[in-house]
Amino acid sequence: MFSRKLTRSVAIGTAAIAVAIGAYAIVNSSSGNGASGTANAATLAQPGPNQRIVGQVPQNWRPGMGTIITGAAANKAEAAARAKYPGGTINRVLKFSDGSYAVHMIKISWPHHVFVSKNFKVTGAIG
């Protein structure tokens, strides 16, 4: 009887911790996903120690900037990114306030973000 109560208490405690961690992650990810910020192109950005930049990256760009989109425009931006950088998995497309896009790629060695103009031309990449 005591063993069942202990097991149940541990399971409930573990579930509560998992829910708390998930809520914390959701709150932190939501705070940076707004469409605020400008998307003016700049040829220079501050890459991290293991990042490289090709082409133009939106000025003041940071990961999480933009609004996640789906549909025809997202599909066109994804197709442009895949044509330039085949492979990997695209897990989201973000639209900036100027109408351009960022395609977020995973499971690929490089790049991690591909920037696409509102005319669906690849303008740059960072990763």
Side-chain angles (χ1 to χ4, degrees):
M1 185 71 152
F2 177 76
S3 178
R4 273 179 72 186
K5 286 184 180 181
L6 178 61
T7 303
R8 187 178 207 182
S9 296
V10 170
I12 290 170
T14 303
I17 290 170
V19 169
I21 290 170
Y24 178 79
I26 290 169
V27 167
N28 281 342
S29 70
S30 297
S31 66
N33 282 341
S36 64
T38 60
N40 296 327
T43 53
L44 298 177
Q46 297 298 324
N50 296 321
Q51 289 186 328
R52 66 179 167 141
I53 298 173
V54 171
Q56 297 181 327
V57 173
Q59 186 176 5
N60 300 320
W61 172 83
R62 66 190 184 290
M65 187 174 124
T67 302
I68 296 174
I69 64 164
T70 59
N75 293 340
K76 287 181 182 180
E78 180 179 332
R82 280 194 191 281
K84 181 80 173 177
Y85 301 103
T89 300
I90 295 175
N91 72 340
R92 66 181 170 267
V93 177
L94 300 134
K95 186 172 184 178
F96 299 132
S97 60
D98 72 346
S100 65
Y101 306 90
V103 178
H104 186 255
M105 301 181 84
I106 59 173
K107 298 182 182 176
I108 189 170
S109 61
W110 191 90
H112 192 63
H113 298 91
V114 177
F115 301 99
V116 179
S117 72
K118 60 185 171 184
N119 298 322
F120 303 104
K121 305 286 186 215
V122 173
T123 59
I126 188 170

